[in-house]
Amino acid sequence: MNIKAKALKFHKMIGSLLLLPLAWTATTGVAFTIVKEIMGNKVLGKSILHLHTLQTFGLHKIYPLILGVSVLVALGSAVVLMWKTPKKK
């Protein structure tokens, strides 16, 4: 199995695992901005922020690290997939 095939397999796996956490982060981030910054509700905004970082579940110290590293791995495998190999003559 060549490196691109391995990268594609890994990229699909990481991408599938990242789908829900990224959707959660994006949704709660947008909700926080709308509620706190636009509507001015600081109390509800703080609650949404706690959900955004998973502080509500006690995962606020590890969640950003895991999510960030996972995104970097997915980006790295995407770079490998996009890399053009020289054609043999």
Side-chain angles (χ1 to χ4, degrees):
M1 186 180 278
N2 67 19
I3 192 147
K4 283 200 175 192
K6 287 180 184 178
L8 180 60
K9 183 179 177 183
F10 197 66
H11 188 76
K12 285 181 178 180
M13 180 185 66
I14 292 293
S16 297
L17 293 173
L18 280 173
L19 183 64
L20 288 176
L22 285 176
W24 174 263
T25 301
T27 303
T28 55
V30 169
F32 168 76
T33 301
I34 290 170
V35 168
K36 183 175 181 277
E37 302 301 329
I38 296 173
M39 295 171 56
N41 189 336
K42 292 181 180 182
V43 174
L44 182 56
K46 188 174 182 178
S47 296
I48 293 171
L49 185 61
H50 287 231
L51 289 171
H52 177 71
T53 61
L54 294 186
Q55 185 172 354
T56 305
F57 308 106
L59 299 172
H60 61 286
K61 292 184 179 179
I62 191 77
Y63 178 67
L65 177 66
I66 291 171
L67 190 60
V69 169
S70 300
V71 168
L72 290 175
V73 169
L75 288 172
S77 63
V79 168
V80 170
L81 292 172
M82 293 179 356
W83 198 266
K84 302 238 188 243
T85 54
K87 293 183 180 182
K88 295 180 181 176
K89 294 181 181 181

